[in-house]
Amino acid sequence: MTHDDEDNDEYVPDTKDPVQNRSLWLRLFIIPLIVYTAWLIETFLLGGQLRLFQSPAPAGILVYTLVTCILIGLIVPVLYLRRSFGLGDVNMYQTGFRPAWRTGPIVLVTLIILLAVSLLFNPFGTYGMAFFLASLFLLPTATATVMVCFVLLGTHVQALMRGGRVLAAISSGVIVTAILFLFASLVRIPGSLQQDSLLFTLCTGIIIAVVFFTIRDIYATVLVATVCLVFGMAGQMDLPALERATPAIAGAACLSLAVLFGIHLYLSRKYATIVVEAA
């Protein structure tokens, strides 16, 4: 059972207790960081080292999607989120898994805005289909990135900073998740990011973090992250290779979305949402 009201929680840990403080750091930062590190390593091994994002191959796409994006990027974080829900560290509102009546309009507005951006600033020039194909290709990566960096680590960093003001807690979450997003970008295409690219990637990480912490909707955040990844990686992609791998790309994108929907359905049924009126 979880509350769905505000970022404020009724439980504020006593950080003056050194034993409790160590326990908080372990469960709210160290363990989520271990999950992030495991995902980062798999991203490098199955993505960066094999140059998957420059020259995608169908077999590599499917293995990368199943292991890195779905197993470690989606399922493992959800298993840990279940524990966090039970302990009251985070709630459904904070993770961005919201009711359909709220998610639908937000996703629709996000899609319209992103469509306009893609038409006006398409990094592939007038080749609109390339932007769509690149978005499909990067959708599983964006989904796992949002789940690991923002849903898991972002909400837990916010919970760790709960003893201070809400603004300070959210600001800490934005800064930490933007840096984690930057590190993930470094391992996808090793050695490709220059100083300007690093700044751009950090800025896009901040944008994604602000979107997540502001609207608290995982699907809209995934869409924003996908478009940000396309803009950041468009110059590194081999379009003919993308076109040849279209069936695998479409299958991987559909599989990732299906797993995300399944997770949302599971959490919605498992954890009741209680709206708490402010006193």
Side-chain angles (χ1 to χ4, degrees):
M1 184 174 293
T2 183
H3 296 284
D4 188 15
D5 50 347
E6 301 291 340
D7 282 337
N8 299 344
D9 295 299
E10 58 279 350
Y11 170 67
V12 178
D14 179 13
T15 54
K16 295 180 180 179
D17 183 344
V19 175
Q20 185 182 25
N21 196 30
R22 286 195 295 269
S23 176
L24 284 172
W25 273 92
L26 178 64
R27 79 170 191 257
L28 296 180
F29 187 72
I30 302 301
I31 295 178
L33 188 62
I34 291 173
V35 175
Y36 168 82
T37 303
W39 171 72
L40 204 65
I41 292 171
E42 288 300 323
T43 299
F44 173 73
L45 293 177
L46 298 179
Q49 193 174 47
L50 299 179
R51 301 178 62 83
L52 181 68
F53 297 99
Q54 292 105 315
S55 301
I61 291 171
L62 294 177
V63 172
Y64 166 80
T65 300
L66 289 171
V67 177
T68 305
C69 299
I70 293 178
L71 177 60
I72 302 179
L74 292 177
I75 295 176
V76 172
V78 167
L79 293 177
Y80 195 73
L81 281 174
R82 291 175 57 204
R83 182 176 182 273
S84 298
F85 287 151
L87 292 173
D89 292 329
V90 299
N91 56 45
M92 288 281 281
Y93 166 84
Q94 292 169 330
T95 58
F97 288 103
R98 310 303 299 279
W101 62 265
R102 183 187 182 279
T103 289
I106 290 178
V107 169
L108 180 60
V109 171
T110 304
L111 276 173
I112 293 172
I113 294 173
L114 294 178
L115 178 60
V117 170
S118 67
L119 292 174
L120 292 173
F121 307 103
N122 188 350
F124 299 101
T126 57
Y127 190 10
M129 190 61 189
F131 193 97
F132 176 73
L133 189 57
S135 297
L136 275 185
F137 175 49
L138 293 172
L139 181 62
T141 298
T143 304
T145 300
V146 170
M147 179 65 79
V148 175
C149 295
F150 302 95
V151 176
L152 179 63
L153 263 155
T155 59
H156 283 71
V157 167
Q158 180 186 348
L160 185 62
M161 301 296 293
R162 186 181 295 160
R165 296 181 181 275
V166 173
L167 182 59
I170 294 179
S171 298
S172 299
V174 169
I175 293 170
V176 170
T177 51
I179 293 173
L180 296 175
F181 178 83
L182 174 62
F183 287 155
S185 298
L186 290 174
V187 303
R188 288 190 195 105
I189 307 179
S192 66
L193 294 182
Q194 305 301 319
Q195 185 173 354
D196 292 344
S197 300
L198 289 174
L199 181 60
F200 173 83
T201 304
L202 182 61
C203 289
T204 56
I206 293 174
I207 291 171
I208 298 167
V210 170
V211 169
F212 174 74
F213 285 105
T214 300
I215 66 178
R216 299 287 184 171
D217 187 275
I218 189 169
Y219 299 101
T221 309
V222 166
L223 291 174
V224 172
T226 300
V227 170
C228 286
L229 288 176
V230 172
F231 276 99
M233 301 171 67
Q236 307 291 331
M237 293 183 184
D238 182 350
L239 288 182
L242 276 179
E243 292 171 345
R244 289 193 297 269
T246 297
I249 289 173
C254 291
L255 185 59
S256 295
L257 284 179
V259 172
L260 184 62
F261 290 149
I263 288 171
H264 192 173
L265 182 62
Y266 166 77
L267 292 178
S268 298
R269 291 182 174 180
K270 183 73 173 179
Y271 299 95
T273 299
I274 302 174
V275 178
V276 180
E277 296 285 344

